[in-house]
Amino acid sequence: MVKDVYLFRHGQTDFNLSGVWQGSGVDAELNENGKRQVEMLSDKVKWLGLEKLYSSPLLRAVQTANRIAQKSLTPMDIVIMQDLREVHFGDCDGQRDEVVRIRYGNEFVYNFLWATKETWNRAFANGECKHRVFHRVLECLKRAVKEKENTIGIVCHAGVISSLACGFGLKDVSYENCAILHLVYDTETGLFSQEQ
């Protein structure tokens, strides 16, 4: 048997728009464009048959999850999971991108953003690496798929999705605001894979 797991990135915030590093230490709300994006996302996903939503505790994700649930064709619970929060960027949280690149260099930033198994242990000062994020988020996914629902949604962040993409070896993953990533969980093998 398989279960469908849909990951949704939250809508846009002003920090996304202005190039500020927005990790788990920055709790911004959706801007007007982000609210429009979430409306379009909600219209698109209401046909998926989602039975339950799990969300990061950060406001931008909770606002996104609330709207998806409101527009759902059937009533749906939202469960907040602390470990679905965005990567903690440490000293770079809340800093403008150009400041981060001057401090750490373009190569370090590139290898952090587009982590591979060779680079996913890198972190900014006082922050966390993608390897750690992968494991904390994987535990959330494992708890969610043990529940009775067969079609679930996860509202989270670009750093969370990129950590999963690295850990699972996923290809052609979008990190845009309100992007959708469809994973399939095989209850017999206990493995997640990417639905094409």
Side-chain angles (χ1 to χ4, degrees):
M1 180 181 167
V2 297
K3 295 192 174 197
D4 291 296
V5 180
Y6 293 93
L7 289 98
F8 311 119
R9 188 185 175 200
H10 62 80
Q12 187 185 73
T13 70
D14 284 341
F15 287 110
N16 294 140
L17 197 57
S18 60
V20 170
W21 283 68
Q22 180 182 221
S24 61
V26 178
D27 201 10
E29 64 183 356
L30 300 176
N31 62 21
E32 289 308 310
N33 187 53
K35 291 174 184 174
R36 286 190 293 275
Q37 292 172 334
V38 170
E39 284 298 315
M40 289 188 287
L41 174 66
S42 301
D43 285 334
K44 186 186 301 184
V45 305
K46 68 183 178 184
W47 307 106
L48 295 177
L50 296 173
E51 298 166 81
K52 186 182 275 188
L53 270 177
Y54 295 86
S55 178
S56 156
L58 296 173
L59 181 58
R60 54 197 182 268
V62 172
Q63 288 178 308
T64 302
N66 283 338
R67 193 62 185 138
I68 291 171
Q70 287 167 359
K71 292 190 96 172
S72 174
L73 299 177
T74 56
M76 184 174 18
D77 289 333
I78 300 174
V79 177
I80 303 297
M81 285 187 162
Q82 293 297 320
D83 282 343
L84 290 176
R85 68 189 179 278
E86 177 61 294
V87 178
H88 182 46
F89 299 134
D91 294 354
C92 293
D93 247 344
Q95 298 294 316
R96 295 190 62 78
D97 184 62
E98 57 266 25
V99 172
V100 174
R101 289 175 185 276
I102 288 168
R103 181 173 176 191
Y104 286 90
N106 285 328
E107 183 180 354
F108 185 96
V109 171
Y110 179 88
N111 286 323
F112 180 83
L113 289 173
W114 310 110
T116 64
K117 293 281 179 71
E118 290 75 38
T119 64
W120 73 338
N121 283 310
R122 296 182 184 186
F124 297 111
N126 301 308
E128 63 182 335
C129 65
K130 297 280 183 84
H131 183 234
R132 174 189 267 176
V133 174
F134 172 76
H135 286 290
R136 72 166 157 83
V137 173
L138 180 58
E139 289 307 308
C140 291
L141 297 184
K142 287 179 178 177
R143 288 199 307 271
V145 296
K146 285 182 180 174
E147 299 296 323
K148 67 180 190 295
E149 294 81 15
N150 293 318
T151 307
I152 62 172
I154 309 280
V155 182
C156 56
H157 307 270
V160 166
I161 294 170
S162 68
S163 299
L164 291 174
C166 181
F168 289 145
L170 308 180
K171 304 293 182 199
D172 301 319
V173 175
S174 173
Y175 305 103
E176 298 296 318
N177 291 109
C178 289
I180 302 171
L181 173 61
H182 184 188
L183 298 180
V184 172
Y185 175 74
D186 188 316
T187 58
E188 290 185 17
T189 65
L191 298 176
F192 291 91
S193 60
Q194 187 175 10
E195 181 67 19
Q196 297 298 331

